[in-house]
Amino acid sequence: MTPKLASGPEEMLQTVKYMPCVSIIMPFEPKMSLKSELDYKLKLAIGKVDSELMASYTEDKALSVLLKLRALIKNLDYNTYKKSIAIFVSPVMEKVFYLDIPVEEKIIIDESFEIRDLVYSKKEMHKYLVLVLSAKRTRIYLGNTSTFVRIVSNVPDHVAAYKNDIPERVANFSDPSDRKEVMLDKFLRHTDAGLGILLKSYPLPLFVIGAERVIGHFKKITHNEKRILGYVHGNYEEATEEELRKALEPLVADWKKVKQQDLLHQLDTAAGNKKLVVGMENVWREAMHKKGKLLIVEKNYIYPAHLGGSKDVIYSENNKGEKNFYIKDAVDDVIEKIFENGGDVEFVDADVLKDYGRIALILYY
């Protein structure tokens, strides 16, 4: 990869050809782990880097990088509340990212850096929410490939809580079935309101399980329909967690499809809340202003560009009127900026974002 030129105070992660370049990506949660444990893992990482550098490069080149690496690690911030770190070192630069995402440990020694390695190193979490409905009560679970954990909500989970909360004109109905229908709808509305709050804390794929009649009522009143990826019909009021898991297996088997569908739903929701920008030039502008919460981009998308008159403006390299500082791939720079400011990045397959200019950014609410 060739060097990129940029103006302004931003320190872009240069993909310079000064060998060797070392990248260490690993979990780092000082508030959740003993310092001695983290120090031991970092020591192992340095040992591996030391062995590979000494075996592949001259002593001068290897030591110049090792000294920078040891200095960086010595001065890591153990007061951070982040979940992981990414350390980049070469003979001419050093940089540390403190990330809010879980990652798989990875050590890369190469001729250049790839900021996209951060995205590929993210730990794939097969997590989803399950809302179990019946005419009497509701349950919400946080599920993954191995466990189901029930989430306790502040919203009453039994219809009996609304028995005395019925308007007088309904309470006087002679037909008990009418009263039950009104109580059910009121119960489901409160359930849906609680679900909306929960989805802000757990922005995960959502599935709904329940009897067809109850789901029919729920579909009519829910404000969270854009977040629901699928329904399972049946009487699961007394179902065990294992029975619920088996019922969901057909829906979560293709997790990649589930994840991409959920990301599209998140884009749709963000657009409705006016918190979405699409297209490279718009995404660049908002990312430079530190507004990016979640960047979603097609994994093979690149965007050569020229920097405009200010740091938040770029133009496609095909723009005949702009020949300012050249940026080989503006997507890489945006990814770095998003991570640098505490956001997250997701890759999707080609054409998944064809209606979004191939790149989209959800802004902080």
Side-chain angles (χ1 to χ4, degrees), residues 139-176:
R139 290 174 287 162
I140 300 177
Y141 292 92
L142 176 62
N144 58 35
T145 53
S146 59
T147 62
F148 259 40
V149 177
R150 186 170 180 181
I151 299 176
V152 179
S153 171
N154 291 329
V155 178
D157 60 2
H158 200 286
V159 71
Y162 304 95
K163 184 175 181 180
N164 297 320
D165 192 21
I166 301 295
E168 183 178 352
R169 61 182 180 83
V170 177
N172 292 330
F173 280 172
S174 58
D175 189 344

Side-chain angles (χ1 to χ4, degrees), residues 210-217 233-234:
E212 190 167 352
R213 182 181 74 87
V214 178
I215 286 180
H217 277 261
H233 294 98

Side-chain angles (χ1 to χ4, degrees), residues 83 129 140 142 151 153 191-206 223-224 227 262 266 269-270 273 275 293-294 362-365:
K83 298 178 181 178
L129 292 175
I140 300 177
L142 176 62
I151 299 176
S153 171
T191 296
D192 187 60
L195 181 63
I197 295 172
L198 188 64
L199 284 168
K200 291 180 180 180
S201 300
Y202 298 89
L204 300 170
L206 170 65
H223 293 285
N224 298 298
R227 300 302 309 277
D262 182 59
Q266 290 189 50
T269 300
N273 291 318
K275 292 296 181 180
K293 179 182 180 182
L294 175 61
I362 296 176
L363 307 179
Y364 282 106
Y365 284 79

